[in-house]
Amino acid sequence: MIEAAGLTKHYGPTVAVDDLSFTVEAGRVTGFLGPNGAGKSTTMRMILGLDTPNKGQALIDGKRYSELKRPLGTVGALLDAKWVHPNRSARSHLRWLAKSNHISDKRVDEVLEMVGLTAVAKRNAGGFSLGMAQRLGIAGALLGDPKVLLFDEPVNGLDPEGIVWIRQFMHRLAADGRTVLVSSHLLSEMAQTAHELIVIGKGKLIAQTSTEQFIKDATEDNVRVRSPHAVKLRELLAGSATVTSDEVDGALVVHGLDPASIGDLAAANGIVLHELSPQRGSLEAAFMQLTKESVEYHAAES
Amino acid sequence: MTLLAVERIKLFSTRSPWWCMALAVTLTVGMAALIAANTNDEFPLSVGVSQSFSNFGMIVIMVMAALAVTTEYRFGTIRATFLAVPGRVQALIAKTVVVAVLAGVIGEVVAFGSWGISTLIKPNADMAINSSVEWRNVAGTGLVFALSAVLAVAVGTLVRQTAGAVAILLVYALLVESLIGLIPKIGVNIQEWMPFMHANNFLTADSAALPEGAGPPRLDFPFGPWGSLAYFAAISVGLLVVALAVAKKRDA
Ligand SMILES: Nc1ncnc2c1ncn2[C@@H]1O[C@H](COP(=O)(O)OP(=O)(O)OP(=O)(O)O)[C@@H](O)[C@H]1O
Ligand SMILES: [Mg+2]
């Protein structure tokens, strides 16, 4: 289990992480979701003792990272697949990692096998494709057979096959009862990977819920209604739903009532409807809506 | 012990340390051969003369030592190291020890290699190492190499970038210390407190390496040879302590 309490990190004037608290439970994949620059990587670095928080702390199974005796046996992390020396072979890279935590060379060969790099173990890591580098990083995270795993954007730049491989891998790790925290800036990706979501924006917590609940809330249906008696209908609906007007054609957009109830209400009051259509928002649209205020860099709108 | 093994694997599993080591040895021993071949009655070969270019090797080894740290920062493996070994100070001390021991061994290889090749080239010259001055001059090279490696690791840790660290080390060791003597009046007094001058004093004090009048004027050092070595060691280790404190405190 990972517990973050009031984590705060400033880099000069920028507040990268702002009073962030959450818990990550064992036995499921927890997605750590936020737009670019939200503070995901910074938070992970603080959990792993690489960066010192200005305030707050992060505990892993009740201990700070620096208090762990053989850290790789408790926590495995893949923060950046490029953190290898390009002129060192994959096997040598894993060997020094293993040695530092009293892990045998046999285990090195085991994890190489698990991620499918046995055939290229003697090749220099600098010549690896992104997918191979990512696998090497995962092998490193698995070396100590840890109960807690952290992955920072592990599918970034991978092809669909690689993405599916990693996704299944995480599910297996969680099914073993491990704690798995995976960051991403894509809700559509997390929707398929994570059971639980921690959503942050501008370093602040936006939500921590199950993925299912989050998606349901985020994409809750709207209903488009057009009627010659729009004004009257609007008054009738105002009590039980939120009603806005479509900016383009002036149709009513009703939020909080299903199409059947709206139709019944209209009929009971003798109102003619010209359109009554349910609208399902896309995941990404909902995510953007939710994190809109907190996205750090808006693309210049034209 | 484990950490030493870790740093040993790291150091020897890439190619650049091997290149630096080969370069340090061939450059210095090659220069010694060149000198030995060109000595004559006016400028006779001696143990001291055979050692006059060990500085070349020392500079190359300092570059290797600085690289051992800066490449870790450059490629992010320092973060992987701190993840595996959260005790940063221990991890960096282990690295320093491995690099310094290696530098010491290279220093001995360089010194005895230079001596050996000179002896081969001029078998009739008096090349017996039989005074304490001569022993210090030859065998002391390893100690100086090891300590300058410590200093280079400290600079590498503080600066974190290869180009910056190497530039600082080269400019300082090759230019600053010798050029500062050109400042009128006080220049020489400052020089008498500069670390590499003391390293050199340790190696060459009381030896008659150069005939009277050749080379730069002899400085009036505040310490004898072993005092100079202690002073050089204090500066190198002091700088390392500062570097360790900084590395412990700052974000990796
Ligand atoms: N070492 C640093 N020095 C200065 N600012 C930093 C540093 N690391 C991160 N930041 C800033 O902190 C904020 C959060 O960055 P962080 O990398 O944690 O975001 P992220 O959620 O991981 O983003 P991404 O999806 O792009 O990886 C950004 O504004 C970033 O510019
Ligand atoms: Mg990031």
Side-chain angles (χ1 to χ4, degrees), chain B residues 80-120:
Chain B
T81 304
F82 291 161
L83 284 183
V85 188
R88 298 182 187 184
V89 171
Q90 285 115 287
L92 288 170
I93 286 179
K95 180 183 285 300
T96 312
V97 169
V98 169
V99 172
V101 166
L102 182 68
V105 171
I106 306 283
E108 297 304 331
V109 171
V110 160
F112 284 97
S114 299
W115 172 80
I117 203 157
S118 305
T119 315
L120 284 178

Side-chain angles (χ1 to χ4, degrees), chain B residues 123-137:
Chain B
N124 296 327
D126 172 21
M127 289 296 285
I129 306 176
N130 47 20
S131 69
S132 67
V133 176
E134 285 164 344
W135 272 110
R136 181 155 40 77
N137 200 178

Side-chain angles (χ1 to χ4, degrees), chain A residues 199-264:
Chain A
V199 186
I200 65 168
K202 265 195 184 165
K204 289 198 178 73
L205 187 72
I206 293 177
Q208 173 163 21
T209 57
S210 72
T211 309
E212 203 185 346
Q213 185 64 41
F214 182 79
I215 290 170
K216 203 163 144 248
D217 291 351
T219 62
E220 199 170 304
D221 299 346
N222 288 334
V223 184
R224 249 174 75 87
V225 186
R226 283 195 303 128
S227 161
H229 312 294
V231 180
K232 189 166 175 220
L233 181 62
R234 194 172 181 144
E235 279 166 15
L236 285 169
L237 288 167
S240 44
T242 345
V243 186
T244 51
S245 297
D246 188 312
E247 282 161 23
V248 181
D249 61 3
L252 300 180
V253 179
V254 185
H255 184 80
L257 267 186
D258 58 31
S261 317
I262 299 170
D264 291 348

Side-chain angles (χ1 to χ4, degrees), chain B residues 106-192:
Chain B
I106 306 283
E108 297 304 331
V109 171
V110 160
F112 284 97
S114 299
W115 172 80
I117 203 157
S118 305
T119 315
L120 284 178
I121 291 173
K122 288 277 163 76
N124 296 327
D126 172 21
M127 289 296 285
I129 306 176
N130 47 20
S131 69
S132 67
V133 176
E134 285 164 344
W135 272 110
R136 181 155 40 77
N137 200 178
V138 181
T141 309
L143 288 174
V144 169
F145 273 40
L147 289 171
S148 41
V150 171
L151 186 125
V153 167
V155 171
T157 307
L158 286 168
V159 179
R160 288 188 278 184
Q161 280 146 7
T162 302
V166 169
I168 288 173
L169 288 169
L170 292 191
V171 168
Y172 182 80
L174 293 177
L175 295 177
V176 173
E177 288 216 350
S178 44
L179 292 185
I180 213 135
L182 298 181
I183 301 175
K185 294 203 194 102
I186 54 160
V188 177
N189 299 358
I190 299 174
Q191 249 178 348
E192 284 161 12

